[in-house]
């Protein structure tokens, strides 16, 4: 039974990947760009959910690591003569280090206090990037980051994003299913009991925060590839709010929930901001609707709906 | 094996545990009895590092473990169950126990191999021992209160402890569940050789499975001795067993 289910699931994954690979064949350039943005934003939301949904850590300012990955990559490429590929490693590593440092400072605090301090420290990082004209370009950001040839075309960038996102999603999934992931979910459910069964809760969370920072940074590096720019508002706190909403909207207890949430939010943002400037208002309304009508997110709702149907049969 | 001396803890000036002492020898079953609010749970919290004592000493296997963190205490070989059910609500019953086994096997830093490869046989064995095999896939929300209390013990057993602390293991159980739980505790002692410290309100249970009993009132140790010594102790009768001066059976 589980065997056929597993095979079915891997079939779904393969089918989805094939469709995604074919996107550039039958979609316009703009939609290919949009698909790449959805993928990398979804990866960023999934990395947030690694600590939020699976770790129970209130990481309210995850966009900082997204920004750190993007700036790390862009600055590495611009300011050193080294291979641009190195930038794609340095960006995520910088984000992971930042994740470790902010985690180290915050991890002693519980729940909401963690979230509040994390927002303040993240905003501090944002302010530094924003003010430091000579190094980061300040509020202008950096435009036209030179990229290796094979990923500098729109399709090349898309394929690079697709491949890196797929690998990252796979790695994160493996981590959630690993003993480390089991311990992490135990901590989410009951930190006191976790400690009592011999788990060093703070250290375990700190590693999770570092990993989440790393993959947030990977998403940021991918943004540099897809959009060719970095700007401070990538790590403004409203972006973090959007990431949290993506997790809640898609379903923070399902692995693909944040990816689904990212797709919905990115599409809505693209189309609604075409019609009105009140995107923030729309976001607030979405948030409210989710809390009232989809407390387990879209995937959580689908899951329950399908189970009900299966039982009725 | 465990030696507690003059342990104290106050909450805002209220002495919840006041100069309590206790000794448990290898292989013994020791009961702590005392009225509600006597400080039994607080005593267990102090031993296991959930809260730090104001004064006194806890020595386990000759080593001072006073003030260690709970995970450090656990790694020394002490596991415990809680009076109020304290499990992992979103994990299945199987996973509840598995995570405890994984932690003891020091696998929680393994990031890439699937959990399903580890600790499975041992987890299944524990579930079988405590009789939760049939509900392994359920979450704790689907269990009866009695089953949840058993899960409490099963999680503690995941640590393969030498020393097990049970805080009112049978509280709220039906009579059948209670007798099964008592059998389980006896088995843990006899088959696995686990040393057990527990507290319990039902005197019949206490007298039937304990080797020695410690009586606690207002946070202090009144007496620690064999069942007979405790039964006949005047102070215990005055303070706890209702003030009758007849030596209780
Ligand atoms: N964390 C705490 N803060 C304040 N008072 C507490 C705390 N824990 C226990 N107490 C108090 O300490 C006393 C002993 O409680 P407890 O150890 O739970 O007793 P028992 O388990 O013997 O019923 C009670 O009066 C309780 O109100
Ligand atoms: Mg108690």
């Amino acid at each position: 039974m589980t065997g056929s289910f597993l095979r079915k699931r891997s079939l779904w994954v393969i089918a989805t990947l094939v469709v995604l690979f074919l996107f550039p064949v039958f979609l316009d350039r703009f939609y290919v760009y949009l698909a790449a943005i959805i993928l990398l934003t979804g990866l960023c939301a999934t990395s947030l959910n690694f600590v939020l949904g699976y770790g129970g850590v209130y990481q309210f300012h995850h966009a900082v690591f997204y920004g750190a990955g993007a700036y790390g990559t862009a600055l590495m490429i611009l300011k050193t003569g080294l291979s641009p590929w190195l930038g794609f490693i340095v960006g995520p590593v910088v984000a992971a280090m930042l994740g470790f440092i902010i985690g180290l400072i915050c991890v002693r605090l519980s729940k909401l206090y963690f979230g509040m301090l994390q927002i303040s420290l993240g905003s501090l990082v944002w302010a530094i990037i924003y003010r430091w004209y000579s190094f980061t370009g300040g509020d202008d950001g950096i435009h036209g980051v030179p990229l290796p040839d094979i990923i500098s075309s729109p399709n090349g960038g898309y394929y690079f994003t697709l491949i890196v996102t797929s690998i990252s999603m796979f790695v994160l999934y493996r981590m959630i299913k690993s003993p480390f992931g089991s311990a992490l979910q135990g901590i989410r459910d009951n930190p006191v009991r976790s400690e009592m069964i011999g788990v060093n809760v703070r250290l375990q969370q700190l590693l999770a925060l570092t990993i989440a920072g790393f993959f947030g940074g990977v998403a940021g590096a991918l943004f540099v590839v897809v959009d060719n720019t970095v700007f401070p508002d990538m790590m403004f706190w409203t972006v973090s709010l959007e990431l949290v909403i993506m997790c809640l909207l898609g379903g923070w207890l399902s692995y693909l929930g944040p990816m689904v949430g990212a797709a919905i939010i990115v599409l809505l943002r693209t189309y609604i901001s075409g019609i009105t400037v009140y995107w923030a208002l729309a976001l607030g309304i979405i948030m409210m609707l989710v809390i009232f009508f989809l407390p387990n997110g879209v995937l959580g709702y689908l899951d329950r709906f399908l189970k009900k149907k299966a039982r009725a049969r | 094996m465990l030696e507690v001396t003059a342990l104290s803890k106050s909450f805002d000036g209220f002495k919840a545990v006041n100069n309590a002492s206790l000794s448990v020898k290898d292989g013994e079953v020791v009961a702590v009895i005392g009225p509600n609010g006597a400080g039994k749970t607080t005593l267990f919290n102090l031993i296991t590092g959930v809260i730090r004592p104001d004064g006194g000493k806890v020595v386990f296997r000759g080593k001072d473990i006073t003030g260690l963190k709970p995970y450090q205490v656990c790694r020394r070989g002490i596991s415990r169950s809680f009076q109020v059910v304290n499990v992992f609500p979103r994990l299945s019953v199987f996973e509840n126990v598995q995570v405890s086994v994984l932690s003891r096997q020091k696998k929680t830093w393994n990031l890439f191999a699937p959990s399903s490869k580890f600790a499975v046989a041992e987890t299944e064995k524990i579930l079988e021992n405590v009789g939760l095999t049939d509900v392994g896939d359920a979450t704790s929300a689907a269990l009866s209160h009695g089953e949840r209390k058993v899960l409490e013990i099963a999680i503690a057993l995941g640590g393969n402890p030498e020393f097990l602390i049970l805080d009112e293991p049978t509280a709220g159980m039906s009579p059948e569940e209670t007798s099964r739980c008592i059998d389980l505790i006896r088995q843990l002692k006899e088959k696995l050789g686990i040393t057990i410290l527990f507290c319990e309100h039902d005197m019949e249970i206490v007298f039937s499975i304990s080797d020695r009993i410690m009586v606690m009132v207002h946070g202090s140790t009144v007496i620690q001795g064999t069942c007979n010594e405790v039964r006949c102790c005047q102070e215990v009768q005055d303070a706890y067993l209702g003030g009758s001066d007849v030596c209780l059976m």
Side-chain angles (χ1 to χ4, degrees):
Chain A
M1 246 250 352
T2 40
S4 75
F5 173 72
L6 273 182
R7 242 170 288 140
K8 224 162 129 193
R9 190 164 53 179
S10 53
L11 273 182
W12 272 109
V13 171
I14 291 167
T16 310
L17 284 178
V18 168
V19 171
L20 288 173
F21 256 95
L22 293 176
F23 261 16
V25 179
F26 53 82
L27 286 183
D28 282 350
R29 202 174 144 165
F30 172 71
Y31 294 104
V32 172
Y33 167 82
L34 205 57
I37 293 289
I38 288 176
L39 284 171
L40 68 90
T41 310
L43 172 61
C44 192
T46 305
S47 69
L48 164 61
N49 202 46
F50 185 69
V51 282
L52 184 73
Y54 291 95
V57 180
Y58 289 3
Q59 176 107 299
F60 285 159
H61 207 341
H62 193 64
V64 170
F65 310 110
Y66 179 58
Y71 270 96
T73 303
L75 290 172
M76 180 75 195
I77 293 174
L78 283 174
K79 308 266 163 171
T80 73
L82 300 169
S83 156
W85 295 106
L86 203 59
F88 299 127
I89 297 166
V90 168
V93 168
V94 168
M97 276 161 31
L98 193 63
F100 177 81
I101 294 167
I102 293 185
L104 198 63
I105 299 169
C106 299
V107 82
R108 269 153 230 294
L109 303 176
S110 60
K111 298 271 160 187
L112 272 180
Y113 292 99
F114 179 102
M116 299 321 284
L117 186 59
Q118 215 249 331
I119 289 183
S120 343
L121 292 175
S123 302
L124 189 70
V125 175
W126 171 82
I128 293 170
I129 300 277
Y130 191 83
R131 290 279 168 204
W132 196 357
Y133 271 90
S134 57
F135 188 58
T136 65
D139 56 353
D140 294 336
I142 300 166
H143 299 267
V145 180
L147 296 170
D149 284 342
I150 51 165
I151 57 169
S152 63
S153 71
N155 284 358
Y158 173 77
Y159 283 121
F160 185 67
T161 304
L162 179 56
I163 292 167
V164 173
T165 301
S166 305
I167 295 171
S168 304
M169 292 292 287
F170 176 72
V171 170
L172 279 169
Y173 184 75
R174 285 295 291 250
M175 287 180 178
I176 285 166
K177 295 292 171 192
S178 73
F180 174 81
S182 297
L184 195 61
Q185 291 167 70
I187 293 170
R188 168 199 64 200
D189 275 12
N190 192 338
V192 174
R193 190 59 192 254
S194 293
E195 186 109 345
M196 207 66 252
I197 58 170
V199 174
N200 187 340
V201 169
R202 305 254 178 268
L203 210 56
Q204 208 89 25
Q205 284 177 326
L206 192 56
L207 179 60
L209 288 164
T210 310
I211 293 169
F214 181 86
F215 286 101
V218 170
L222 290 174
F223 184 80
V224 176
V225 172
V226 173
D227 204 81
N228 243 263
T229 54
V230 288
F231 44 89
D233 279 1
M234 283 181 76
M235 51 169 94
F236 197 56
W237 66 270
T238 51
V239 178
S240 295
L241 183 65
E242 276 183 29
L243 289 170
V244 172
I245 292 176
M246 286 169 197
C247 294
L248 296 180
L249 174 63
W252 58 283
L253 288 175
S254 13
Y255 182 65
L256 289 176
M259 185 59 89
V260 171
I264 297 171
I265 295 283
V266 170
L267 288 174
L268 283 177
R269 183 176 60 199
T270 308
Y271 291 106
I272 292 180
S273 32
I275 308 167
T276 156
V277 291
Y278 298 115
W279 163 239
L281 181 68
L283 198 64
I285 293 171
I286 294 170
M287 181 78 202
M288 233 157 63
L289 292 176
V290 170
I291 289 171
F292 281 120
F293 297 110
L294 294 173
N296 290 318
V298 174
L299 286 192
Y301 176 79
L302 269 180
D303 192 42
R304 193 173 292 177
F305 180 75
L306 290 177
K307 270 191 192 135
K308 221 185 256 171
K309 242 178 124 182
R311 224 177 290 137
R313 235 186 286 139
Chain B
M1 189 174 211
L2 181 81
E3 206 64 53
V4 173
T5 14
L7 212 55
S8 299
K9 177 74 194 179
S10 308
F11 296 110
D12 302 322
F14 172 76
K15 289 178 175 164
V17 169
N18 185 13
N19 213 10
S21 296
L22 167 73
S23 85
V24 184
K25 296 197 201 95
D26 221 329
E28 256 187 340
V29 174
V30 171
V32 175
I33 61 172
N36 264 327
K40 305 179 293 290
T41 299
T42 307
L43 176 67
F44 292 167
N45 283 340
L46 290 171
I47 295 173
T48 53
V50 175
I51 48 181
R52 289 171 141 274
D54 299 334
K57 226 166 135 179
V58 183
V59 176
F60 181 66
R61 287 209 169 286
K63 298 223 174 68
D64 192 346
I65 60 162
T66 324
L68 289 188
K69 302 246 170 59
Y71 71 88
Q72 294 167 321
V73 173
C74 173
R75 289 174 190 182
R76 300 281 175 109
I78 300 179
S79 286
R80 76 175 280 194
S81 76
F82 288 79
Q83 176 178 355
V84 180
V85 173
N86 195 3
V87 298
F88 304 104
R90 287 199 193 85
L91 306 188
S92 71
V93 167
F94 181 87
E95 289 165 336
N96 263 276
V97 179
Q98 188 190 25
V99 72
S100 177
V101 176
L102 286 171
S103 166
R104 195 206 73 246
Q105 296 179 342
K106 300 198 169 45
K107 292 272 162 49
T108 61
W109 298 107
N110 187 328
L111 285 159
F112 296 106
S115 282
S116 52
K117 272 194 180 165
F118 303 105
V120 172
E122 192 174 338
T123 305
E124 277 167 355
K125 185 140 178 280
I126 292 171
L127 289 180
E128 195 189 314
N129 276 345
V130 302
L132 287 178
T133 309
D134 292 344
V135 288
D137 291 332
T139 59
S140 63
L143 302 184
S144 71
H145 174 78
E147 286 170 324
R148 266 179 243 163
K149 289 292 281 188
V150 173
L151 178 59
E152 263 298 322
I153 301 177
I155 294 173
L157 290 177
N160 193 19
E162 298 177 335
F163 191 91
L164 181 63
I165 297 177
L166 304 172
D167 197 346
E168 304 203 15
T170 69
M173 280 187 172
S174 70
E176 306 95 77
E177 287 171 335
T178 303
S179 75
R180 247 179 288 142
C181 186
I182 300 308
D183 285 344
L184 174 65
I185 295 174
R186 280 215 181 90
Q187 270 185 32
L188 295 179
K189 176 197 165 160
E190 279 152 23
K191 289 215 185 117
L192 302 177
I194 301 176
T195 308
I196 295 171
L197 175 67
F198 76 113
C199 76
E200 176 60 57
H201 277 296
D202 187 327
M203 283 309 128
E204 216 174 309
I205 296 174
V206 168
F207 286 128
S208 76
I209 59 177
S210 320
D211 297 311
R212 288 190 304 143
I213 297 170
M214 186 268 236
V215 184
M216 215 174 166
V217 177
H218 300 313
S220 308
T221 306
V222 175
I223 179 182
Q224 180 174 9
T226 62
C227 297
N228 276 330
E229 284 165 0
V230 168
R231 258 183 276 213
C232 298
C233 168
Q234 189 62 45
E235 280 173 85
V236 174
Q237 291 180 15
D238 291 345
Y240 184 47
L241 296 175
S244 103
D245 57 0
V246 198
C247 183
L248 292 171
M249 249 306 287

